[in-house]
């Protein structure tokens, strides 16, 4: 999974990126045209994997990972192809929106909806340019009477009108035969979005009382997007604390889990991802797959040979395993299952694949 941390300049993107990945990327104002994206990887916290590690004491502990790309600030005047290309390469966008005032840093009061609309407009304008170029090519190819290109030209014209109304491409009713327009990765506003509402300490203590967060939530709801309240500065502070101090600090803010935990859960839900687990004395490992993936395809995440020579999957649900306390007890209760090629993997399946090549 690759998530792009995006937004207007000086909204706390890089601070959040550092907190999530443990990086030390420079924060503050900089020239967008000269800046390059920061890239970092975060391990996905998973208490199920922790339990398996306690059970096996493996030589290797391999949680799932998420790659974060901290993209330079974007505004309506942004023309940098490198910035937009970085966005095209991610699976979803974490759009950081300022939801607090600070007279020492910002010249104007926070307006979350205004800022979200401004950022979205920049991506929409970039998408219009992409679709206009595609429309021009389709019209040229349609001169020979090819119905496929005539249909593509009509779709492009309809999409341009849709975008010109300020609507993102993800809300456009693409027909099945138009899906190749999505597959090439050229459109920016087709990406799923999580609005990361960046709050100060007061806002995190009373999120329901933060008018900017409430306005952003309503805005996102109209667009079918998720909203995640975060406090980038305090997430960064948490990263530097020892676990006990961090726990007390979170309690003071009324938090039960870190922003990384909440962002990962929200991202998995948004993109339809789940994890299955493999375990043994050599390694305990979490593997990320798309919900609905069948067993052979999941096996291919480990190695293509396992997918090619798939025979069956030996599976026990993690919650059943934990409730029983051991693999032996789970087997005695008949909770181990043998599943074939048509089995659809479930989140938390502890799995051993049998194969022959």
């Amino acid at each position: 999974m690759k998530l792009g941390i995006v937004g207007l300049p000086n909204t706390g993107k890089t601070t959040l990126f550092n907190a999530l990945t443990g990086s030390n990327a420079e924060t503050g104002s900089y020239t967008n045209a000269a800046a390059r994206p920061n890239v970092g990887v975060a391990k996905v916290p998973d208490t199920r994997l922790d339990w398996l590690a306690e059970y096996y004491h493996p030589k290797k502990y391999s949680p799932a990972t998420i790659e974060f790309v901290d993209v330079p600030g974007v505004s309506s005047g942004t023309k940098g192809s490198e910035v937009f290309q970085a966005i095209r390469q991610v699976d979803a966008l974490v759009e950081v929106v300022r939801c607090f005032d600070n007279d020492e840093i910002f010249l104007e009061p926070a307006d979350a909806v205004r800022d979200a609309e401004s950022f979205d407009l920049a991506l929409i304008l970039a998408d219009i340019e992409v679709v206009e170029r595609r429309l021009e090519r389709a019209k040229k190819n349609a001169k020979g009477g090819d119905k496929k290109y005539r249909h593509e030209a009509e779709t492009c014209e309809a999409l341009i009108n849709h975008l010109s109304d300020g609507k993102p491409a993800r809300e456009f009713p693409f027909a099945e035969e138009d899906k190749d327009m999505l597959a090439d990765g050229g459109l920016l506003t087709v990406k799923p979005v999580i609005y990361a509402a960046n709050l100060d300490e007061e806002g995190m203590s009373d999120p329901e009382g933060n008018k900017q967060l409430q306005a952003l939530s309503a805005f996102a709801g109209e667009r079918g997007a998720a909203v995640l309240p975060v406090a980038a500065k305090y997430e960064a502070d948490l990263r530097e604390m020892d676990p006990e101090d961090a726990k007390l600090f979170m309690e003071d803010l009324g938090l039960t889990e870190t922003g990384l935990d909440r962002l990962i859960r929200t991202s998995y839900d948004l993109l339809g991802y789940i994890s299955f687990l493999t375990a043994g004395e050599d390694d305990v490992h979490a593997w990320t797959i798309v919900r609905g993936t069948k067993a052979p395809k999941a096996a291919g995440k480990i190695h293509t040979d396992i997918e090619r020579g798939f025979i069956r999957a030996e599976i026990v649900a993690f919650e059943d395993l934990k409730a029983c306390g051991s693999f032996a007890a789970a087997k005695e209760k008949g909770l181990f299952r043998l599943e074939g090629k048509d089995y659809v993997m479930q989140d938390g399946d502890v799995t051993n694949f049998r194969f022959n090549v």
Side-chain angles (χ1 to χ4, degrees):
M1 186 193 302
K2 182 184 288 188
L3 301 180
I5 301 180
V6 301
L8 299 180
N10 303 317
T11 55
K13 301 183 306 302
T14 303
T15 300
L16 180 60
F17 169 81
N18 287 340
L20 294 171
T21 64
S23 302
N24 293 298
E26 184 177 351
T27 61
S29 301
Y30 50 78
T31 302
N32 291 327
R36 291 179 176 272
N38 299 307
V39 179
V41 175
K43 296 177 181 179
V44 176
D46 193 331
T47 56
R48 301 170 302 188
L49 207 63
D50 294 339
W51 189 91
L52 289 169
E54 284 293 319
Y55 184 89
Y56 274 109
H57 301 288
K59 298 175 183 176
K60 189 177 179 182
Y61 178 88
S62 306
T65 59
I66 292 180
E67 182 175 330
F68 289 99
V69 181
D70 172 32
V71 180
V74 172
S75 64
S76 58
T78 298
K79 295 294 184 181
S81 59
E82 185 174 354
V83 172
F84 290 139
Q85 189 58 32
I87 297 175
R88 290 187 177 99
Q89 293 174 357
V90 302
D91 299 312
L93 306 181
V94 179
E95 184 176 332
V96 182
V97 182
R98 177 170 66 99
C99 292
F100 65 93
D101 292 319
N102 187 324
D103 295 339
E104 296 179 2
I105 301 176
F106 303 105
L107 297 177
E108 54 187 8
D111 188 331
V113 173
R114 174 203 63 204
D115 290 351
E117 288 179 333
S118 178
F119 177 82
D120 292 351
L121 176 60
L123 299 194
I124 286 171
L125 292 174
D127 276 356
I128 289 175
E129 291 184 6
V130 169
V131 181
E132 284 178 339
R133 289 195 295 269
R134 185 157 189 157
L135 172 60
E136 185 177 348
R137 290 196 302 269
K139 284 182 174 180
K140 288 181 179 178
N141 291 328
K143 289 180 179 179
D146 192 316
K147 292 182 179 180
K148 173 187 174 182
Y149 289 111
R150 283 208 305 268
H151 172 76
E152 182 176 332
E154 292 170 357
T155 301
C156 287
E157 289 174 341
L159 179 55
I160 289 171
N161 290 334
H162 173 91
L163 293 167
S164 297
D165 286 338
K167 300 175 183 177
R170 58 182 167 272
E171 296 179 6
F172 184 77
F174 287 97
E176 190 63 34
E177 61 266 30
D178 302 326
K179 293 299 175 67
D180 64 320
M181 295 183 67
L182 307 177
D184 66 10
L187 296 175
L188 301 171
T189 62
V190 76
K191 308 284 185 183
V193 174
I194 299 170
Y195 289 99
N198 193 10
L199 304 170
D200 57 8
E201 184 173 354
E202 181 181 350
M204 287 303 293
S205 299
D206 181 26
E208 293 184 0
N210 186 288
K211 294 181 179 179
Q212 296 302 325
L213 172 59
Q214 300 311 312
L216 182 62
S217 297
F219 173 83
E222 295 172 357
R223 287 154 177 77
V227 174
L228 180 71
V230 296
K233 179 181 182 301
Y234 298 102
E235 292 290 344
D237 291 343
L238 281 172
R239 190 93 188 193
E240 301 299 321
M241 297 180 185
D242 65 60
E244 193 59 35
D245 288 342
K247 182 180 178 182
L248 293 173
F249 187 74
M250 288 173 63
E251 289 176 354
D252 289 341
L253 289 176
L255 302 175
T256 57
E257 55 184 347
T258 67
L260 174 59
D261 292 346
R262 290 181 289 117
L263 178 57
I264 288 170
R265 189 176 65 251
T266 303
S267 302
Y268 268 57
D269 290 343
L270 183 68
L271 295 172
Y273 287 159
I274 61 173
S275 293
F276 73 92
L277 314 170
T278 55
E281 294 180 357
D282 288 332
D283 187 21
V284 294
H285 204 125
W287 306 87
T288 301
I289 56 175
V290 177
R291 188 178 299 278
T293 299
K294 292 185 177 180
K297 195 71 175 177
K301 290 284 291 185
I302 301 173
H303 199 286
T304 54
D305 284 349
I306 304 177
E307 180 179 3
R308 188 171 69 253
F310 178 90
I311 298 173
R312 66 178 180 271
E314 300 173 347
I315 291 175
V316 59
F318 173 79
E319 293 302 329
D320 289 339
L321 174 61
K322 183 179 179 181
C324 292
S326 71
F327 283 86
K331 286 182 178 179
E332 287 179 6
K333 293 185 178 182
L335 295 174
F336 262 82
R337 310 187 311 274
L338 299 180
E339 301 289 356
K341 293 182 178 181
D342 292 330
Y343 175 70
V344 176
M345 300 293 292
Q346 301 299 308
D347 188 43
D349 278 348
V350 182
T351 309
N352 179 50
F353 292 110
R354 296 293 184 183
F355 67 102
N356 183 27
V357 292

